[in-house]
Amino acid sequence: MTLLEHPTLQDIHQARERLKPHIRRTPILRAEKIEPAVGCQLYLKPETLQITGAFKIRGALNKALSLPREQIAGGLIATSSGNHAQGIAYAARMLGVKATIVVPVGTPKIKIENTRTLGAEVMVFDGDTAARWKRVCELAEQHHYTAVHGFEDPLVMAGQGTIGCEILEDLEGVDTVIVPLGGGGLISGIATAIKETRPSVRVIGAEPSLTPKYHQSRINQERTSLPLKNTIADGVRISVPGRNPYPIIEKYVDEIVLVDDEHIIAGMRTLAKDAKLIAEPAAAIGIGALLAGSVKLRPDEKVCVVLSGGNWDLSELAEIYR
């Protein structure tokens, strides 16, 4: 993707209308039991309850539904550690076209199984995000597939931004929204929806301490690539900030906080015990940030944490809960 492109508020509103018949409007849940541990009024936006178990269906489906049918007739292709894969596979099945997904080595088995169950062909590829995207582009050219990037595409970002609209409508007086920060597509869409509608609402990105690419980029005042370290939060394990999300995040995201793996795990346990929600590590990072005291809050502050997905191997979840 060569052009720098940003979704507008109008793009996000159009995405809402496009997606309305096809996705689940996830609820806002008050998490009273967790509030004493985090020191605020806590609300959860559980995209774990989305049709594919993660928010990624919003962006994937918005992109697919925006394209002319003849353009996608050859099929869709993407690279993903699992949740974007399932979103693309779902969209392709709904539209009756082929889906091919290139996944990294180490992708949780449940994400691969779910993607195959939706009818997609899955190819395991040993390489970082850039190398996998290069492979996707090669395959797209060879087989006339349409490539859909998980976080650089403005229509994908617009689809994710519909979460921000729902939060503003369903949680009156929300003060702060905390969003997992991986490639940057989710927070770019949400931050655009929120800041262009209600600029006073604070938007915070939660990023793993082991892959602090956006945090470091903000310090350096330029996009900064870092060595890829093996955080438990596979869904946000990316070494370089997204080219298109980066300027949106610099414009609209008030703060970026870093979260250690131990606090991410504590977040997963807390969500299971006190909110009865299964969250994968990337989804629990916002709760981890709050448990670690990384965000300054008032006791009366209304905080909404986006839980991005719940697709993780049950045996590994059991080990964490144990």
Side-chain angles (χ1 to χ4, degrees):
M1 191 165 294
T2 52
L3 293 174
L4 283 174
E5 297 177 276
H6 308 149
T8 64
L9 188 59
Q10 186 183 2
D11 292 331
I12 294 167
H13 288 161
Q14 286 172 350
R16 283 199 72 187
E17 293 309 307
R18 203 175 279 127
L19 293 173
K20 208 176 270 183
H22 306 295
I23 65 161
R24 192 167 287 152
R25 182 178 179 132
T26 51
I28 298 279
L29 304 175
R30 179 85 182 256
E32 294 98 336
K33 280 191 177 180
I34 305 174
E35 289 179 354
V38 298
C40 65
Q41 289 185 34
L42 181 62
Y43 297 82
L44 307 173
K45 177 68 169 168
E47 286 293 294
T48 52
L49 304 179
Q50 194 48 264
I51 292 168
T52 55
F55 75 95
K56 290 279 194 177
I57 188 176
R58 293 176 184 258
L61 204 47
N62 187 51
K63 174 68 174 181
L65 290 170
S66 302
L67 296 170
R69 289 304 294 265
E70 59 271 17
Q71 190 177 331
I72 61 168
L76 302 173
I77 187 168
T79 179
S80 164
S81 64
N83 287 329
H84 180 56
Q86 290 168 76
I88 291 291
Y90 185 93
R93 189 180 72 174
M94 192 180 102
L95 295 169
V97 300
K98 182 182 178 182
T100 304
I101 310 295
V102 179
V103 303
V105 173
T107 297
K109 288 191 189 76
I110 188 172
K111 293 183 178 181
I112 292 176
E113 286 164 11
N114 288 350
T115 304
R116 285 186 172 137
T117 299
L118 287 165
E121 180 187 349
V122 177
M123 301 170 62
V124 180
F125 185 82
D126 191 4
D128 63 12
T129 308
R132 292 198 311 276
W133 180 247
K134 187 182 174 197
R135 182 65 184 138
V136 162
C137 293
E138 289 167 357
L139 290 167
E141 196 169 334
Q142 285 171 24
H143 301 286
H144 307 291
Y145 300 148
T146 296
V148 182
H149 201 288
F151 53 83
E152 296 284 15
D153 192 299
L155 286 166
V156 171
M157 286 189 258
Q160 326 304 26
T162 58
I163 294 169
C165 297
E166 291 175 15
I167 291 170
L168 291 179
E169 288 174 8
D170 296 347
L171 183 52
E172 192 178 342
V174 61
D175 296 301
T176 299
V177 177
I178 302 176
V179 186
L181 181 47
L186 174 63
I187 200 169
S188 296
I190 290 175
T192 299
I194 288 173
K195 290 294 190 179
E196 292 190 9
T197 308
R198 206 177 303 161
S200 61
V201 176
R202 184 165 58 145
V203 179
I204 296 174
E207 189 170 47
S209 300
L210 289 168
T211 55
K213 67 275 171 204
Y214 277 103
H215 186 269
Q216 192 60 47
S217 296
R218 182 160 284 192
I219 292 167
N220 296 350
Q221 298 187 325
E222 63 177 0
R223 283 174 69 233
T224 304
S225 180
L226 297 174
L228 201 56
K229 292 186 180 173
N230 200 22
T231 172
I232 190 171
D234 67 290
V236 288
R237 183 178 173 263
I238 291 170
S239 62
V240 62
R243 189 160 172 261
N244 289 333
Y246 174 71
I248 304 171
I249 289 166
E250 286 306 289
K251 182 179 180 182
Y252 285 142
V253 174
D254 298 285
E255 198 178 334
I256 296 168
V257 297
L258 299 181
V259 188
D260 294 339
D261 275 21
E262 64 181 289
H263 292 123
I264 294 172
I265 290 168
M268 293 173 72
R269 288 182 180 144
T270 300
L271 286 165
K273 183 169 75 75
D274 295 330
K276 306 299 179 249
L277 289 169
I278 293 174
E280 62 185 89
I285 195 168
I287 297 295
L290 293 178
L291 292 172
S294 302
V295 182
K296 288 181 182 170
L297 300 166
R298 305 183 315 273
D300 64 338
E301 195 162 337
K302 279 190 177 179
V303 178
C304 182
V305 177
V306 176
L307 307 180
S308 49
N311 296 316
W312 230 53
D313 289 327
L314 290 178
S315 58
E316 293 186 38
L317 285 171
E319 202 60 44
I320 283 171
Y321 296 153
R322 192 178 295 122

